[in-house]
């Protein structure tokens, strides 16, 4: 089982649609959670951190369920510019060191069409 | 601020050749990382460094070596390139985990093709 699993998609949605991405992680000791966005042939960039209480940033809402080891990202009112790959990322301490190991899901591809 | 930069952007090697990828960051970050990204595999950590003069192995270190002689630079070396090392290589940097700056910032990537 992969440490971080995502539905690879692709998701094809019209502008204005609401779309949700899910992610599960296997390491119950994971400490921090993130969604990164990666445009085609570009580097990953942080979209938002994910907190236990849930958090919102404009049209984006992230949720974390530690009991189920499940993370979600909701995008409302999709824009053409939202087309990208969305990476679920989980951080955990590696071997008791201070290094925070990031484990990346393989990404979910989103295409928003007119 | 340039953030994280990588050179070269693209390179073609023949099997057995060697090369060094350079990563530089101007954010005074302690931590630096080298990843490779392959289709369907996500990003995988090759090596990382928690400070100048220190390096450690990540998830897929075989065939690679690294050096961190200066805080702002992190070099990734391929001593004898193999076709299996064809990939996109990303460098990243961050503040120590647990601090406000835990986010990893990535460079634009180096596309390597080994024939």
């Amino acid at each position: 089982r992969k440490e971080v699993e995502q539905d690879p998609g692709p998701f094809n949605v019209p502008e204005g649609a609401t779309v949700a991405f899910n992610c599960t992680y296997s390491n119950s000791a994971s400490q921090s959670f993130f969604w990164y966005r990666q445009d085609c042939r570009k580097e990953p960039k942080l979209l938002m951190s994910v907190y236990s209480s849930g958090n919102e940033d404009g049209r984006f809402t992230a949720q974390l369920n530690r009991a189920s080891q499940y993370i979600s990202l909701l995008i409302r009112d999709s824009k053409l510019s939202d087309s990208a790959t969305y990476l679920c990322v989980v951080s955990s301490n590696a071997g008791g060191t201070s290094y925070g190991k990031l484990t990346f899901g393989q990404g979910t591809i989103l295409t928003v069409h007119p | 601020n340039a953030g994280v930069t990588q050179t070269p952007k693209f390179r073609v090697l023949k099997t057995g050749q060697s090369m060094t990828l350079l990563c530089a960051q101007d954010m005074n970050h302690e931590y630096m990382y080298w990843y490779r990204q392959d289709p369907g595999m996500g990003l995988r950590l090759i090596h990382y460094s928690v400070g100048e003069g220190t390096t450690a192995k990540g998830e897929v270190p075989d065939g690679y070596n690294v050096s961190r002689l200066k805080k702002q630079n992190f070099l990734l070396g391929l001593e004898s390139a193999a076709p299996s090392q064809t990939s996109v290589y990303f460098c990243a940097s961050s503040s120590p985990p647990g601090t406000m700056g835990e986010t990893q910032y990535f460079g634009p990537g180096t596309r390597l093709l080994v024939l």
Side-chain angles (χ1 to χ4, degrees):
Chain A
R1 181 185 174 189
K2 292 181 181 177
E3 286 191 54
V4 178
E5 293 202 62
Q6 297 180 247
D7 180 349
F11 286 66
N12 293 295
V13 303
E15 276 185 289
T18 295
V19 61
F21 303 138
N22 302 320
C23 170
T24 58
Y25 61 95
S26 61
N27 184 355
S28 60
S30 297
Q31 298 166 317
S32 303
F33 308 88
F34 311 91
W35 284 100
Y36 275 69
R37 170 193 168 128
Q38 186 172 23
D39 294 304
C40 186
R41 302 178 73 84
K42 299 286 189 180
E43 72 272 24
K45 292 183 179 178
L46 179 69
L47 177 65
M48 58 196 303
S49 300
V50 187
Y51 305 117
S52 296
S53 56
N55 49 299
E56 189 173 308
D57 183 2
R59 298 181 293 106
F60 299 83
T61 301
Q63 297 278 354
L64 167 65
N65 184 322
R66 284 187 184 271
S68 301
Q69 296 180 200
Y70 170 93
I71 307 159
S72 66
L73 177 68
L74 183 75
I75 305 175
R76 293 182 300 276
D77 189 23
S78 298
K79 311 292 185 190
L80 296 177
S81 58
D82 293 335
S83 297
T85 298
Y86 291 83
L87 305 172
C88 176
V89 184
V90 174
S91 173
S92 57
N93 272 348
T97 68
S98 62
Y99 158 60
K101 172 188 173 185
L102 289 191
T103 302
F104 290 78
Q106 66 179 40
T108 299
I109 299 171
L110 172 66
T111 301
V112 181
H113 57 82
Chain B
N1 280 355
V4 181
T5 58
Q6 292 182 232
T7 53
K9 288 184 169 49
F10 179 71
R11 184 77 184 267
V12 179
L13 288 179
K14 293 181 180 178
T15 297
Q17 288 184 318
S18 64
M19 77 165 294
T20 300
L21 284 67
L22 172 63
C23 175
Q25 53 95 4
D26 61 4
M27 296 175 282
N28 201 34
H29 284 159
E30 290 291 335
Y31 285 43
M32 296 187 75
Y33 316 82
W34 274 107
Y35 293 92
R36 61 178 289 173
Q37 186 173 36
D38 303 291
M41 299 293 290
L43 280 97
R44 293 180 293 169
L45 183 67
I46 304 171
H47 286 279
Y48 65 96
S49 168
V50 301
E52 182 178 323
T54 72
T55 63
K57 293 180 180 179
E59 182 184 354
V60 287
D62 292 343
Y64 305 95
N65 57 75
V66 287
S67 63
R68 183 98 182 267
L69 298 179
K70 294 182 179 180
K71 185 177 183 178
Q72 64 267 34
N73 295 338
F74 195 28
L75 278 63
L76 177 71
L78 285 74
E79 289 187 350
S80 179
S84 61
Q85 293 178 303
T86 293
S87 187
V88 181
Y89 292 86
F90 287 103
C91 175
S93 70
S94 74
S95 294
T99 65
M100 291 297 292
E102 187 172 0
T103 303
Q104 289 192 14
Y105 296 86
F106 285 81
T110 295
R111 297 182 180 279
L112 176 65
L113 174 62
V114 182
L115 301 175

